Amino acid sequence: MVQSLASLLAIASLAVSSASAVVYSPNGGKPVIERPSIKAWPLHPGKPHAASPARDPDKYCFVKPSCKSDDDAANILKAFQTCNHGGTVVLDADYTIGSPLDLTFLDGVDVAISGTISFSGDVDYWVEHSFKYAYQVSSAFWRFGGRDVNIYGNGVGLINGNGQPWYDAFAANASLQRPILLVLDGLNGGSWFNLIANSSDIIVSDMDIKVGSTSKNPAKNTDGWDTYRSDSIVIQSSTINNGDDCVSFKPNSTNIVVQNLHCNGSHGISVGSLGQYIGEYDVVENVTVYDISMSNASDGARIKVWPGNYTPFQPGLSGGGGSGHVRNVTYDTVHNTNNDWAVELTQCYGQSNQTLCNLYPSNMTISDVVFKNMWGTTSKKYDPKVGTLVCSSPEKCLNIRAENITVTPPSGKTATWVCTNMDNSLLDISCIV
Ligand SMILES: *[C@@H]1O[C@H](CO)[C@@H](O)[C@H](O)[C@H]1NC(C)=O
Ligand SMILES: *[C@@H]1O[C@H](CO)[C@@H](O)[C@H](O)[C@H]1NC(C)=O
Ligand SMILES: *[C@@H]1O[C@H](CO)[C@@H](O)[C@H](O)[C@H]1NC(C)=O
Ligand SMILES: *[C@@H]1O[C@H](CO)[C@@H](O)[C@H](O)[C@H]1NC(C)=O
Ligand SMILES: *[C@@H]1O[C@H](CO)[C@@H](O)[C@H](O)[C@H]1NC(C)=O
Ligand SMILES: *[C@@H]1O[C@H](CO)[C@@H](O)[C@H](O)[C@H]1NC(C)=O
Ligand SMILES: *[C@@H]1O[C@H](CO)[C@@H](O)[C@H](O)[C@H]1NC(C)=O
Ligand SMILES: *[C@@H]1O[C@H](CO)[C@@H](O)[C@H](O)[C@H]1NC(C)=O
Ligand SMILES: *[C@@H]1O[C@H](CO)[C@@H](O)[C@H](O)[C@H]1NC(C)=O
Ligand SMILES: *[C@@H]1O[C@H](CO)[C@@H](O)[C@H](O)[C@H]1NC(C)=O
């Protein structure tokens, strides 16, 4: 399940704010939830994000759930058209979205979700009608873009991707194109989402994401958060229960801070995979991952890069030969519980034969990486090994450091590490070959 993308069931909840003037909804007379105040904390990615002005207290668009049809997309779209430029769209009832919703024209609008938004489970319809993206054959039910948008749920809002029919259909068709729950495409200034693409100055905070299947068919390719072609992004103070990357930094992710996350059951917090496509240049630069609790995952901290030649890996997943660089990535303060590897860095992604990997070193350079302040216990899987750092050539990995790492294997033996083509003098861990 390395291919990433597509989280189909998520529960959104944002911090509760203190109320001042109360506005009541005509959908049952409940008070409308207020925009919480969210800051990047304790770290931030460099230049501060612009403040978002308060919205017009007289400009609320309440969306009435349709009683006749099972698709509220048209009414939701109308509300955004009316309340754009300074208003607040209120979604405080139960809605179903049964057709694609393009919200990429937004400019200064708040979205208060205290109700439930569900997506219809008509797999055949969505496969035909979802928004399609070239990158990793991804697609979306709805998408948000524009500038200065705040989306909040204050601990009660819920977005239900209705993943079960997708997990079941995918078990029968492994090339089924499954939509990503939430896509921010070209949003500048705003808070939250699942795929953050073509966007800048975004803070995601206090989200609770859950993915799970209730049938025998597993929920696959369920990344918590992916960033792609995006700059100045913060993802913080959230809980993610899933089975693929908890957070992953795809090509051209820059100036990113990920902090105070609880991840369970994932593939870790991952840079990559990168270098997948020949002729493309991928950049991941200035990433700090801080204060993470990682449990039941295949990896804690992970950097995965394809080797220098085309490599078939799994059905529907192959790549390699692309170029680029990973520079200035820090993983600091990570508590490990039952993860297979505490740290996995590889430039041989998709190629388990080290001889072949060394023959075609990666066209991606990895430099200025620090793994530090990590503790806890791994799973039994590779005991007594707890981490692996594998470069395709000593010239392709520069200044990779490991400091103050006390992660132990469950057997209590001395923790060992696989270190290949690394400068071992910078690694304060016990490397075996
Ligand atoms: C499997 O899914 C793909 C992509 O969504 C689709 O093109 C193909 O027709 C499906 N195959 C079957 C047997 O339904
Ligand atoms: C991002 O922008 C590029 C270039 O405009 C576009 O091709 C792509 O569809 C956009 N969205 C995603 C998710 O890649
Ligand atoms: C990523 O950035 C590099 C360098 O700026 C550029 O050459 C490349 O086209 C970008 N890739 C994508 C997918 O946007
Ligand atoms: C954590 O993930 C495991 C599977 O790896 C699952 O069994 C468990 O229920 C999850 N914990 C929570 C709190 O959801
Ligand atoms: C490394 O990245 C962090 C943000 O993640 C940034 O604060 C720092 O200035 C960067 N350092 C260098 C030397 O670029
Ligand atoms: C990374 O951070 C450094 C130091 O702040 C900055 O000079 C550089 O431009 C940043 N890189 C990118 C790609 O933004
Ligand atoms: C890890 O998984 C075990 C068993 O699957 C579960 O009991 C435990 O709660 C999980 N840890 C977390 C932090 O969810
Ligand atoms: C790895 O590749 C080399 C070169 O092709 C080959 O000689 C060797 O048998 C391979 N090793 C394994 C374990 O497949
Ligand atoms: C990628 O790496 C291969 C093998 O090391 C090399 O032959 C090729 O020239 C490289 N391509 C680029 C664009 O650097
Ligand atoms: C080493 O990491 C531990 C967490 O495992 C932390 O409490 C301690 O302060 C760190 N020591 C140094 C010297 O940074």
Side-chain angles (χ1 to χ4, degrees), residues 22 83 88 132 157 202 309:
V22 181
C83 264
T88 301
K132 305 291 189 297
I202 306 286
N309 66 334

Side-chain angles (χ1 to χ4, degrees), residues 87-423:
T88 301
V89 171
V90 182
L91 294 160
D92 58 358
D94 290 348
Y95 309 92
T96 301
I97 295 182
S99 57
L101 189 51
D102 191 344
L103 301 171
T104 49
F105 57 87
L106 306 181
D107 182 5
V109 65
D110 281 9
V111 190
I113 305 175
S114 54
T116 298
I117 298 170
S118 306
F119 292 87
S120 69
D122 187 340
V123 168
D124 295 335
Y125 171 85
W126 282 115
V127 165
E128 289 292 313
H129 295 91
S130 59
F131 300 108
K132 305 291 189 297
Y133 297 106
Y135 182 67
Q136 291 193 334
V137 219
S138 50
S139 62
F141 298 110
W142 59 345
R143 56 181 174 194
F144 287 76
R147 56 169 290 280
D148 185 22
V149 178
N150 302 292
I151 303 171
Y152 43 91
N154 292 23
V156 289
L158 187 134
I159 298 175
N160 182 352
N162 193 13
Q164 198 62 47
W166 294 92
Y167 309 144
D168 294 338
F170 185 71
N173 179 3
S175 49
L176 184 71
Q177 194 174 357
R178 298 147 297 153
I180 298 165
L181 185 62
L182 290 165
V183 173
L184 273 194
D185 187 359
L187 186 65
N188 301 304
S191 15
W192 73 273
F193 281 72
N194 278 32
L195 170 62
I196 303 174
N198 299 323
S199 298
S200 65
D201 299 348
I202 306 286
I203 300 187
V204 173
S205 195
D206 301 276
M207 290 276 298
D208 186 358
I209 297 181
K210 286 199 178 102
V211 182
S213 173
T214 53
S215 77
K216 65 182 192 313
N217 303 314
K220 289 207 172 178
N221 308 119
T222 54
D223 286 7
W225 294 97
D226 286 352
T227 59
Y228 174 60
R229 301 182 64 170
S230 292
D231 181 67
S232 194
I233 309 293
V234 178
I235 298 169
Q236 65 181 18
S237 308
S238 296
T239 301
I240 297 162
N241 259 287
N242 70 339
D244 206 317
D245 293 332
C246 182
V247 179
S248 125
F249 313 106
K250 302 296 182 190
N252 296 14
S253 295
T254 51
N255 302 306
I256 306 221
V257 169
V258 169
Q259 55 194 343
N260 184 23
L261 296 191
H262 293 262
C263 306
N264 175 47
S266 76
H267 290 178
I269 297 187
S270 304
V271 172
S273 64
L274 302 176
Q276 186 171 4
Y277 303 112
I278 291 170
E280 295 199 5
Y281 191 95
D282 295 342
V283 178
V284 169
E285 191 170 319
N286 298 350
V287 172
T288 303
V289 177
Y290 174 69
D291 188 14
I292 305 295
S293 138
M294 180 68 69
S295 308
N296 299 315
S298 62
D299 305 87
R302 189 175 194 195
I303 298 180
K304 46 180 174 175
V305 164
W306 291 85
N309 66 334
Y310 179 81
T311 309
F313 180 24
Q314 290 174 347
L317 182 59
S318 54
S323 38
H325 70 259
V326 174
R327 185 184 299 147
N328 182 29
V329 175
T330 301
Y331 286 90
D332 179 2
T333 309
V334 181
H335 181 211
N336 285 268
T337 311
N338 194 37
N339 306 319
D340 299 339
W341 293 122
V343 176
E344 178 179 16
L345 179 153
T346 182
Q347 278 192 328
C348 303
Y349 188 61
Q351 179 54 274
S352 53
N353 186 325
Q354 188 70 35
T355 313
L356 283 176
C357 182
N358 293 352
L359 219 48
Y360 302 100
S362 180
N363 296 47
M364 301 237 7
T365 309
I366 302 179
S367 62
D368 307 327
V369 173
V370 184
F371 300 102
K372 66 178 183 188
N373 307 328
M374 298 185 177
W375 73 105
T377 310
T378 54
S379 77
K380 307 197 282 259
K381 188 161 182 186
Y382 304 110
D383 191 326
K385 298 196 280 280
V386 302
T388 171
L389 302 163
V390 173
C391 271
S392 52
S393 146
E395 285 89 68
K396 295 294 179 177
C397 287
L398 305 167
N399 191 26
I400 314 282
R401 293 168 182 272
E403 297 164 5
N404 188 27
I405 298 185
T406 59
V407 179
T408 51
S411 65
K413 292 180 186 151
T414 302
T416 58
W417 293 66
V418 178
C419 310
T420 307
N421 293 321
M422 301 292 300
D423 179 350

